[in-house]
C-alpha cells in the first residue's frame, strides 16, 4: 500500500466519516448508520481451500476498510475500497472480496459449531460444513474512486462480457448469469454532496474544482472557516486527492494573504 492510500485509509477509518459515506451513498443522506454502531473489523482474508485433488491452496486478499455495523443482534459488514487508479476488472475483484468475506464467515461459524460439542448434524450439513439453520451476515462494499480521470470502467459484471454473447438468443443468458454491480462513488463528479454531513462534504466538494486553480481558491475562500482549521491527517488526504503540492501551497498563501 502506498503512502497516499494509507493516508486515505486512515482518514476514512474515522467512524463518523465512514458512517457518513454509507449514509450518503446507500441511504441518500438519511442518518441510518450511527458511528457508535460501527466496529473496525479485520481487513485481511486469508483462506485455505482444497481443490478436487485435496491439495491446499491459499487465497489471500487485503481489503482497505471493513466495519461491522451492529444493531442489537443484527449485523452487516460494510467495506470501503479506496481507488486512486481505475481498475477495469473491479466488478470481479469486488465479487472475489465479498465472496471471501462470506467464506470467512462460514468457516468461523463451522469452527464455532464444532466447539459446541455433541451437536447432531445430517450428512449434508457435515459435507457443507454449514447447518441448515445457520445464517451469515450481508456484505455491502463501496468503491470510492478519487482519481483525476473520470471512471470509464464497467460498474457491473455484464459490462465485462462480449455483448453479442450476453444478449443473443433473446437474452436468455441473462436468466442464468447473475449480474454483480459495484457501488461506485466518484467524489469529483458528484452534484449532491449535500447528502454528507461531516467534512466529507467540504473535501469532496473541493475535488470538483481541482483542475482549476481559480475556482479551487474561490471554493477554499468560501469554506475558509473549515480549511483554516484542518488537522494534519486531513491535510495529507487533501494533498493525495489533489495530487499537487503546488495547489496546497497556493491555498496556504491565499490564507496568509487573507489574515
Amino acid at each position: 500500500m502506498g503512502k497516499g492510500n494509507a493516508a486515505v485509509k486512515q482518514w476514512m477509518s474515522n467512524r463518523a466519516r465512514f458512517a457518513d459515506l454509507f449514509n450518503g451513498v446507500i441511504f441518500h443522506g438519511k442518518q441510518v448508520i450511527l458511528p457508535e454502531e460501527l466496529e473496525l473489523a479485520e481487513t485481511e482474508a486469508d483462506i485455505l481451500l482444497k481443490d478436487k485433488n485435496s491439495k491446499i491452496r491459499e487465497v489471500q486478499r487485503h481489503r482497505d476498510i471493513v466495519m461491522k455495523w451492529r444493531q442489537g443482534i443484527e449485523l452487516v459488514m460494510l467495506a470501503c475500497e479506496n481507488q486512486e487508479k481505475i481498475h477495469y476488472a473491479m466488478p470481479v475483484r469486488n465479487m472475489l472480496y465479498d465472496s471471501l468475506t462470506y467464506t470467512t464467515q462460514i468457516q468461523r461459524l463451522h469452527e464455532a459449531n464444532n466447539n459446541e460439542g455433541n451437536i447432531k448434524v445430517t450428512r449434508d450439513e457435515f459435507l457443507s460444513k454449514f447447518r441448515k439453520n445457520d445464517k451469515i451476515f450481508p456484505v455491502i462494499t463501496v468503491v470510492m474512486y478519487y482519481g483525476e480521470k473520470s471512471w470509464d470502467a464497467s460498474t457491473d459484471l455484464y459490462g465485462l462480457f462480449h455483448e453479442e454473447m450476453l444478449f443473443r438468443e433473446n437474452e436468455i443468458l441473462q436468466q442464468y448469469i447473475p449480474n454483480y454491480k459495484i457501488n461506485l462513488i466518484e467524489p469529483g463528479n458528484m452534484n449532491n454532496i449535500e447528502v454528507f454531513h461531516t467534512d466529507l462534504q467540504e473535501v469532496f466538494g473541493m475535488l470538483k474544482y481541482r483542475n482549476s486553480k481559480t475556482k479551487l481558491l474561490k471554493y477554499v475562500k468560501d469554506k475558509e472557516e473549515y480549511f483554516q482549521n484542518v488537522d494534519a491527517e486531513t491535510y495529507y488526504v487533501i494533498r493525495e486527492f489533489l495530487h499537487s503540492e503546488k495547489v496546497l501551497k497556493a491555498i496556504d498563501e491565499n490564507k496568509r494573504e487573507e489574515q
Side-chain angles (χ1 to χ4, degrees), residues 41-92:
E42 295 180 11
T43 58
E44 295 183 8
D46 192 357
I47 309 296
L48 298 178
L49 300 175
K50 288 184 179 181
D51 61 20
K52 61 181 180 180
N53 299 316
S54 295
K55 291 184 178 180
I56 301 292
R57 64 186 184 89
E58 181 182 65
V59 180
Q60 187 178 54
R61 289 293 183 271
H62 299 270
R63 309 200 76 164
D64 285 335
I65 311 170
V66 183
M67 294 271 190
K68 296 177 183 178
W69 175 29
R70 293 187 181 275
Q71 289 187 308
I73 62 172
E74 297 180 354
L75 174 67
V76 180
M77 304 294 287
L78 305 176
C80 177
E81 297 299 323
N82 305 314
Q83 288 292 127
E84 179 191 2
K85 304 295 183 183
I86 296 173
H87 194 303
Y88 287 100
M90 201 68 195
V92 172

Side-chain angles (χ1 to χ4, degrees), residues 11 14 39 74 85:
W11 191 71
N14 174 278
E39 176 187 342
E74 297 180 354
K85 304 295 183 183

